Amino acid sequence: TPSSLLLAAIDTIDNTPNKTMVLFVLCIKAELDGVESLSLLNYSNLCFSVRNPLSDYETREKIVFNPSETLEQDDGDREPPHHFAVRWEGQKKFSTLIVLDEEGAKSAFKKMKKKGGKKKGGGGGADLPRDMTADDSGEYVPVLAMECRGVEPYAFHPLGNEFKVTSSGGAVFEEDVDLSEGDWGEYDEENDEAVGVNEFESKIISV
């Protein structure tokens, strides 16, 4: 009947975004001064803004999750462990975001290459996440991979505790590396040199 066909069509539309996995990569760029490496900590809270890829207006601003903690799930939940979930308007299922660890990222990138994954935004967009080094100063570097179903992260918001800086002399700064204003500076007393991360920028690309 027409009504049953309509219901079937609605159900198909409802489930579509959850079946499609998209790999998103957070890339960062900065000018490094006296810095050997800038690392994203995988056990610190991360803040992103996300949107519904099928909507022009549905967003969730500045959601926070921790890559080391997955959400609690019911015993009958078929979704794999994930770090963030949202149920968009009119959706039956949750849309999910999973932060990939090193092995998970390698596996996901391998699958994408087999499928002929696309490259957007340039700047090493299809590379595996890694630390930014002194050689990368001023260039975009991939630092985090996220496997998303029905949700699209579009902005990254530094909170002030998610990065670790290692100076050229080997000193480690892991507390209060606040890049929310785009610049951070400190003094490496042991090696008598200034340490700085300036003109910090970020972008999120799909692979």
Side-chain angles (χ1 to χ4, degrees), residues 71-116:
L71 299 179
E72 290 186 11
Q73 294 177 262
D74 297 330
D75 293 337
D77 197 336
R78 296 181 180 180
E79 297 288 347
H82 47 267
H83 299 93
F84 172 75
V86 59
R87 182 180 287 160
W88 300 114
E89 182 180 342
Q91 297 284 320
K92 291 180 181 178
K93 294 183 179 181
F94 280 99
S95 296
T96 59
L97 180 153
I98 301 171
V99 175
L100 299 177
D101 58 17
E102 186 175 354
E103 289 304 314
K106 286 180 181 178
S107 176
F109 272 73
K110 191 174 181 180
K111 289 178 182 177
M112 293 302 292
K113 285 183 179 180
K114 285 183 178 178
K115 293 179 180 178

Side-chain angles (χ1 to χ4, degrees), residues 7-188:
L7 288 172
I10 292 173
D11 188 58
T12 301
I13 293 171
D14 179 83
N15 291 332
T16 299
N18 297 84
K19 293 180 180 179
T20 305
M21 189 280 284
V22 181
L23 191 62
F24 289 96
V25 178
L26 169 65
C27 301
I28 63 173
K29 178 174 74 169
E31 296 293 337
L32 305 181
D33 181 20
V35 172
E36 176 60 32
S37 66
L38 176 66
S39 312
L40 184 70
L41 300 174
N42 59 8
Y43 51 81
S44 178
N45 285 342
L46 302 177
C47 182
F48 287 85
S49 289
V50 300
R51 59 191 168 208
N52 181 351
L54 299 182
S55 167
D56 293 330
Y57 65 90
E58 277 191 289
T59 63
R60 294 291 186 277
E61 300 292 329
K62 296 186 177 181
I63 57 101
V64 177
F65 54 82
N66 192 312
S68 65
E69 302 171 2
T70 55
L71 299 179
E72 290 186 11
Q73 294 177 262
D74 297 330
D75 293 337
D77 197 336
R78 296 181 180 180
E79 297 288 347
H82 47 267
H83 299 93
F84 172 75
V86 59
R87 182 180 287 160
W88 300 114
E89 182 180 342
Q91 297 284 320
K92 291 180 181 178
K93 294 183 179 181
F94 280 99
S95 296
T96 59
L97 180 153
I98 301 171
V99 175
L100 299 177
D101 58 17
E102 186 175 354
E103 289 304 314
K106 286 180 181 178
S107 176
F109 272 73
K110 191 174 181 180
K111 289 178 182 177
M112 293 302 292
K113 285 183 179 180
K114 285 183 178 178
K115 293 179 180 178
K118 58 187 176 180
K119 212 174 184 181
K120 278 188 180 181
D127 294 335
L128 282 167
R130 60 179 176 84
D131 294 343
M132 172 182 276
T133 69
D135 293 336
D136 300 312
S137 187
E139 300 290 335
Y140 274 108
V141 173
V143 294
L144 185 76
M146 296 168 282
E147 190 176 275
C148 301
R149 288 176 171 81
V151 61
E152 177 184 341
Y154 67 89
F156 171 66
H157 310 283
L159 296 173
N161 58 357
E162 61 274 89
F163 288 100
K164 177 179 75 173
V165 170
T166 302
S167 75
S168 301
V172 176
F173 301 89
E174 199 167 323
E175 294 184 1
D176 301 323
V177 180
D178 188 352
L179 293 170
S180 59
E181 299 297 325
D183 301 289
W184 170 88
E186 192 54 82
Y187 189 72
D188 180 358

